[in-house]
Amino acid sequence: MNDILHESSKIQIVKRLLTYVKPYKLKVTLVILLLLIVMACNSVTPYLMKISIDTFVADKNVKALFLLGCGLILMNVFSMILSGIRTIAMSKITNQILVDIRHSLYTHIQTLSFNFFDNRPVGKIISRVVGDVNALQNLLNNSIVNLIPNVFTIILVICLMLILNPMLAGICLITMPLLLFAMFYIQIKADNKWKVFREHRSSLIGYTHESLSGMKVIQGFSRKYYAKDKFDSHIGNHAKGFMTAVFTQDFFWPFLTSFRGLSMVILLGSGYLLSKQGNLSLGTLMAFFMYIEMLWRPIINLSSFYNAFVTSMSAGERIFDILDTKSDIVDEASIKDLPQIKGDIEFDHVTFSYTNADIPALKNTSFKLKAGEKIALVGETGAGKTTITNLISRFYDPTFGSVKIDGVDIKDVTVESLRSQMGIMLQDSFLFSTSIKENIRYGKLNATDEEVIQAAKAVNAHEFIERLEKGYDTDVNERGSRLSLGQRQLIAFARALIADPRILILDEATANIDTETELLVQEGIKKLMEGRTSIVIAHRLSTIRDCDKIFVLSKGRIVESGTHDELLKNHGYYYKLYSAQYSFLKQDA
């Protein structure tokens, strides 16, 4: 989907960017001071040339010319050294500001609720953290390196021209208003084109990330040409958007060149007339030629800066759009941490709908679980099983009703204190691209190596880990691709066990484990569930026979509840599910 960006004025975006510059204001001030010194040295050169031509050359004062030449050389060397120091210092400041912005963006993204990630491809989020932040580098760097010195140069040059000859200065500057009008008109048009280009770039990154993540599906269905056509379409839109923006933006340069040439013609004509009347010296005319050249150079630089400014504003707009996105799950200032929980869970008339969903995923659901109970959720796909576990974990808040743990509404306690006492096992267990040891330790960051090994032994993962080339120090590659699905699940079990959660959620946690491996891990699962409130979601009904209670869901409602034997005796919905699955397995055998 296309990102919906809030319209923010460029001034507001600049003000927000300046908040990141504020911690470095002393260093930035020193850089600006260096810039002003360098610009002053450069601007005074034409005036010294006027003096040398009108005074020293006319008087044939060779000694004075020699001393003036040496002074100019020393001044330029001094200016060059200061310029080098300024460039290095500004690069360091800019890099640190970008690091700060990227930290702020990533930290904020971590606080956002699942709705944010449900509505945005991962690739587009990555493009914000990496691409858009990088796009601000030119803006931050050029703001100090180009904007301030060039504005200062323009002001200083115009002042010196007015001092030397007000009439000639006014004649030379007559083209400036027309140039400014053309510049702003064209750049406003270019601004809209750059926004379109940024959107196409974001879509390209998003599709590229998605297709690379799903490469097994692409190759498995032999859809590489279909994927290539879609990629070509995205990259075509990206290239077309870039060329359109550049063409519109570069349309300004012919105007700039024309006005520059016109200014020189005006200077030559008016200079000739004034000198003929005896109102203009040769040195002053030469100084004006140098000042006109000095005047146009910063104007060109400011035009380039404005181009970068317009481009970077789109990036800044996207970054602040995410930073302004509020999480649906927010801790109020007055709430407290949840104390160590026993594990009682209560749903009180809970109704919940996902964003833009017409039909509620859960409808007026109420039930109570006692601490330490082992319950199961069964039902067809989309019945509301995972929704219940998402609400317990407070990944979402109920639309109506409340969820309570130990009699406390989970909205009244901090999210961190709630989730730190919960363990969640999913069907597709995510492993980080690091060692097996570090993946297990993710459940308890200060766990010792011995605790890691004990957790792995408890879920029968120790044996296969020891057979790997580096044992617990073996890297699992991205998403654990180096291991089988069953092995990933076993490592995830160990990670959950070492976290010692008070409430345990197993969402199809044994679905990817073969029968032999499942028999081995059942003992570990039992140990994992000891003394904990455990909620199991399973389509394989044979794995939930020993649960204290089974809730049967259909279309967002609990239609039955009871033990395995009680539900079979009722000959209701659960009985039909169980009979159909048993018949299928018997037929398959």
Side-chain angles (χ1 to χ4, degrees):
M1 62 172 289
N2 292 336
D3 291 308
I4 302 173
L5 296 178
H6 304 297
E7 286 298 324
S8 300
S9 71
K10 292 180 176 62
I11 294 176
Q12 289 174 325
I13 294 174
V14 169
K15 284 182 178 178
R16 294 187 67 172
L17 287 174
L18 287 176
T19 60
Y20 290 94
V21 180
K22 191 174 180 180
Y24 309 98
K25 59 183 178 182
L26 180 59
K27 293 181 179 179
V28 171
T29 302
L30 292 174
V31 170
I32 293 174
L33 181 60
L34 291 176
L35 282 169
L36 295 179
I37 294 173
V38 171
M39 291 301 105
C41 291
N42 294 336
S43 299
V44 79
T45 300
Y47 188 76
L48 294 178
M49 290 296 294
K50 172 195 177 300
I51 294 174
S52 65
I53 292 173
D54 288 345
T55 305
F56 301 145
V57 172
D59 296 340
K60 297 181 181 180
N61 191 337
V62 178
K63 182 179 179 181
L65 284 172
F66 176 76
L67 292 174
L68 182 63
C70 291
L72 284 173
I73 292 173
L74 290 174
M75 187 172 63
N76 283 313
V77 170
F78 177 68
S79 173
M80 182 177 66
I81 294 172
L82 293 184
S83 182
I85 296 173
R86 173 209 70 190
T87 302
I88 295 172
M90 194 59 219
S91 296
K92 290 181 178 179
I93 295 170
T94 302
N95 183 66
Q96 190 56 52
I97 292 172
L98 292 181
V99 170
D100 294 343
I101 294 174
R102 193 168 278 124
H103 270 301
S104 296
L105 190 58
Y106 181 77
T107 302
H108 181 70
I109 288 173
Q110 286 188 307
T111 68
L112 297 178
S113 56
F114 278 20
N115 272 333
F116 174 82
F117 300 97
D118 292 341
N119 297 320
R120 287 171 176 81
V122 174
K124 286 196 173 185
I125 299 174
I126 292 173
S127 73
R128 302 290 178 271
V129 179
V130 180
D132 286 336
V133 174
N134 284 342
L136 294 178
Q137 183 171 9
N138 286 337
L139 175 63
L140 293 169
N141 200 39
N142 287 334
S143 296
I144 306 299
V145 175
N146 281 334
L147 179 62
I148 294 174
N150 285 311
V151 169
F152 173 76
T153 299
I154 290 173
I155 294 173
L156 183 60
V157 166
I158 290 176
C159 290
L160 290 172
M161 289 170 66
L162 290 171
I163 291 172
L164 285 176
N165 194 308
M167 182 183 296
L168 186 58
I171 294 172
C172 291
L173 298 174
I174 199 171
T175 61
M176 290 299 163
L178 292 174
L179 177 65
L180 291 175
F181 174 78
M183 181 178 73
F184 283 109
Y185 177 78
I186 293 172
Q187 296 303 342
I188 288 171
K189 295 290 185 182
D191 188 7
N192 296 325
K193 303 297 182 182
W194 280 116
K195 285 183 179 180
V196 173
F197 162 72
R198 290 277 180 186
E199 180 57 41
H200 287 317
R201 190 190 72 168
S202 181
S203 297
L204 172 63
I205 294 174
Y207 178 75
T208 303
H209 179 273
E210 182 180 57
S211 60
L212 292 176
S213 298
M215 189 55 66
K216 288 184 179 179
V217 177
I218 293 173
Q219 293 187 1
F221 284 89
S222 190
R223 292 291 183 265
K224 60 181 181 180
Y225 294 110
Y226 173 77
K228 177 182 176 297
D229 288 342
K230 291 196 70 174
F231 181 79
D232 288 345
S233 175
H234 280 290
I235 205 167
N237 290 334
H238 177 268
K240 183 179 178 181
F242 179 77
M243 292 305 299
T244 302
V246 169
F247 177 80
T248 305
Q249 184 173 287
D250 286 353
F251 194 68
F252 172 71
W253 296 112
F255 282 94
L256 187 62
T257 303
S258 299
F259 281 112
R260 183 181 183 183
L262 182 60
S263 294
M264 289 297 184
V265 170
I266 291 174
L267 176 60
L268 281 171
S270 55
Y272 171 75
L273 292 176
L274 289 173
S275 60
K276 189 175 181 181
Q277 296 170 4
N279 296 325
L280 186 70
S281 67
L282 180 62
T284 301
L285 181 61
M286 181 63 69
F288 259 82
F289 269 110
M290 295 180 70
Y291 278 132
I292 285 292
E293 189 62 30
M294 287 184 66
L295 186 63
W296 280 102
R297 194 181 308 127
I299 290 175
I300 293 172
N301 290 339
L302 287 177
S303 300
S304 299
F305 167 76
Y306 188 75
N307 293 340
F309 174 77
V310 169
T311 305
S312 300
M313 282 302 97
S314 297
E317 197 173 34
R318 291 172 181 273
I319 289 170
F320 292 124
D321 177 63
I322 290 184
L323 288 174
D324 290 339
T325 301
K326 304 298 182 182
S327 176
D328 297 332
I329 312 298
V330 180
D331 289 337
E332 299 294 337
S334 59
I335 65 175
K336 300 178 180 179
D337 288 342
L338 180 67
Q340 183 169 358
I341 60 180
K342 298 175 182 177
D344 293 333
I345 299 175
E346 179 184 357
F347 270 52
D348 185 10
H349 297 91
V350 171
T351 297
F352 174 75
S353 296
Y354 290 98
T355 305
N356 300 324
D358 296 328
I359 302 174
L362 214 58
K363 304 172 186 175
N364 197 29
T365 300
S366 297
F367 63 84
K368 291 183 180 181
L369 305 179
K370 294 181 180 179
E373 275 192 322
K374 176 184 175 184
I375 69 111
L377 304 176
V378 300
E380 75 272 9
T381 301
K385 304 182 297 296
T386 299
T387 299
I388 288 177
T389 61
N390 283 337
L391 292 174
I392 294 173
S393 307
R394 211 188 167 198
F395 292 140
Y396 304 92
D397 279 334
T399 308
F400 302 104
S402 61
V403 179
K404 300 177 182 178
I405 292 180
D406 294 346
V408 179
D409 192 325
I410 60 176
K411 287 185 178 180
D412 297 333
V413 297
T414 61
V415 173
E416 182 71 21
S417 65
L418 169 68
R419 294 178 186 166
S420 64
Q421 300 187 66
M422 301 184 66
I424 303 172
M425 281 283 303
L426 304 176
Q427 179 177 350
D428 182 19
S429 292
F430 186 92
L431 297 183
F432 296 95
S433 54
T434 183
S435 68
I436 291 175
K437 182 191 299 179
E438 291 306 312
N439 270 287
I440 296 175
R441 189 176 277 139
Y442 203 81
K444 182 183 177 183
L445 297 178
N446 61 349
T448 64
D449 288 353
E450 183 59 32
E451 288 177 307
V452 170
I453 294 171
Q454 289 303 318
K457 285 181 177 178
V459 296
N460 295 311
H462 177 73
E463 187 176 339
F464 91 80
I465 294 174
E466 284 290 279
R467 289 199 300 266
L468 297 174
E469 54 181 326
K470 295 183 180 178
Y472 284 85
D473 292 319
T474 302
D475 285 333
V476 299
N477 295 344
E478 187 176 2
R479 298 183 67 87
S481 60
R482 188 170 183 175
L483 305 174
S484 69
L485 293 175
Q487 289 172 333
R488 290 181 223 168
Q489 290 295 83
L490 292 176
I491 291 174
F493 274 123
R495 180 169 62 195
L497 177 62
I498 204 170
D500 192 24
R502 305 311 305 157
I503 295 175
L504 180 67
I505 297 173
L506 304 178
D507 190 348
E508 290 290 339
T510 60
N512 291 327
I513 300 178
D514 57 75
T515 305
E516 183 178 351
T517 306
E518 185 179 356
L519 292 174
L520 290 173
V521 83
Q522 284 302 326
E523 184 180 344
I525 293 177
K526 287 181 180 179
K527 183 172 182 180
L528 193 60
M529 292 181 174
E530 286 177 5
R532 299 180 175 90
T533 304
S534 303
I535 302 170
V536 181
I537 297 177
H539 286 107
R540 198 184 304 176
L541 301 183
S542 59
T543 63
I544 59 173
R545 288 184 176 185
D546 298 331
C547 287
D548 299 316
K549 192 178 292 184
I550 298 171
F551 291 125
V552 184
L553 287 94
S554 179
K555 298 178 181 178
R557 296 182 183 274
I558 297 177
V559 294
E560 285 184 311
S561 65
T563 65
H564 173 74
D565 293 334
E566 289 171 348
L567 292 174
L568 286 181
K569 288 178 182 179
N570 290 340
H571 284 257
Y573 193 82
Y574 180 81
Y575 176 81
K576 292 178 182 178
L577 287 175
Y578 186 81
S579 298
Q581 194 172 107
Y582 180 77
S583 175
F584 175 78
L585 292 173
K586 187 175 180 181
Q587 182 181 1
D588 187 54

